[in-house]
Amino acid sequence: MPISNVKTDESQQIAQYWNDIANDFDAIYTGNKNPLARILDRWLRRDIYQRFDWVMREAGDARGMNICDVGCGSGRFVVGLAKRGAQVTGVDFAPEMLRLGAQLAEKEGVADRCKYELSDILDWKTNEKFDMVIAIGFWDYVADPLPRLQVIRRLTKTTFLSAWPRAATLRAWIRTVRLKVAGCPVYFYTLPQVEDCLQRAGFRVEAHEILGQLHCVRSVAV
Ligand SMILES: C[S@@+](CC[C@H](N)C(=O)[O-])C[C@H]1O[C@@H](n2cnc3c(N)ncnc32)[C@H](O)[C@@H]1O
């Protein structure tokens, strides 16, 4: 069934891709796969676990915080942050991802602190503002970051944490081919490109670190 909440062909393609592989994606976190695949994940996808730890470290004691997770997927960050005491809203355009997220929130006993919204972030209508916004594993699937960054800037009171796949690496090239075959476009960024986009959207970069294939950036709204 086509995804009904997206407007462009490319968004449709990306939402459909993530909807179809939602369970497989979440298995990277649960390790619910054969032992060899688990070992390969721990080796080749190490930065997926590292970026999770980075966000939890940056969020610190999140009690009382109101946080938005853009492209929240299966809700791993939403639930992780809710378990640290935050009120968290996850936004994603793949319904199956949100179903897994809601299930996880129930299982972990934090459903009362988690909310999920089915939308392309570009079209999400809200008057809410958040102490912190995160967008992790998201920019890989965005052809033109600025319009979505401008939406995120309007949502952000203070801090924005983002992880961007690094351009010009061997793994970037391999991923481009793999995802092209799977029917999902993918995009990569240099650090100057990331800094330029963030600045144009109204953020100041406070800290940057490279974790595996990623630029992980803490910025603040100015
Ligand atoms: C690689 S998953 C990452 C999920 C989660 N952030 C994580 O790291 O575990 C990317 C997610 O972004 C979502 N996504 C991509 N573009 C989006 C958009 N424009 N609006 C809302 N969700 C989007 C996809 O549906 C998918 O669930």
Side-chain angles (χ1 to χ4, degrees), residues 81-100:
L81 292 165
K83 284 170 85 171
R84 291 174 165 251
Q87 202 68 45
V88 195
T89 303
V91 184
D92 203 290
F93 59 20
E96 185 56 20
M97 284 289 199
L98 296 191
R99 193 189 63 74
L100 293 177

Side-chain angles (χ1 to χ4, degrees), residues 165-181:
R166 290 162 54 210
T169 68
L170 175 63
R171 292 279 296 285
W173 182 81
I174 294 170
R175 233 179 125 203
T176 304
V177 175
R178 186 172 62 76
L179 285 175
K180 195 177 170 64
V181 171

Side-chain angles (χ1 to χ4, degrees), residues 102-113:
Q103 193 176 290
L104 181 67
E106 281 292 342
K107 180 170 162 241
E108 295 293 327
V110 289
D112 58 327
R113 289 204 291 281

Side-chain angles (χ1 to χ4, degrees), residues 12-88:
Q12 178 70 241
Q13 207 181 347
I14 295 166
Q16 191 69 60
Y17 173 78
W18 285 108
N19 206 57
D20 291 348
I21 67 150
N23 274 297
D24 291 345
F25 176 74
D26 194 55
I28 298 172
Y29 291 104
T30 60
N32 192 9
K33 45 174 79 180
N34 73 58
L36 177 61
R38 220 164 33 229
I39 290 167
L40 286 176
D41 275 357
R42 287 280 156 195
W43 173 37
L44 296 171
R45 292 177 156 147
R46 191 154 36 113
D47 49 18
I48 291 195
Y49 312 111
Q50 288 175 316
R51 72 192 189 190
F52 182 87
D53 293 343
W54 173 69
V55 167
M56 296 304 143
R57 229 175 18 247
E58 288 285 334
D61 179 357
R63 263 176 297 182
M65 282 176 83
N66 193 17
I67 299 177
C68 180
D69 182 357
V70 174
C72 65
S74 54
R76 293 284 155 184
F77 290 77
V78 172
V79 169
L81 292 165
K83 284 170 85 171
R84 291 174 165 251
Q87 202 68 45
V88 195

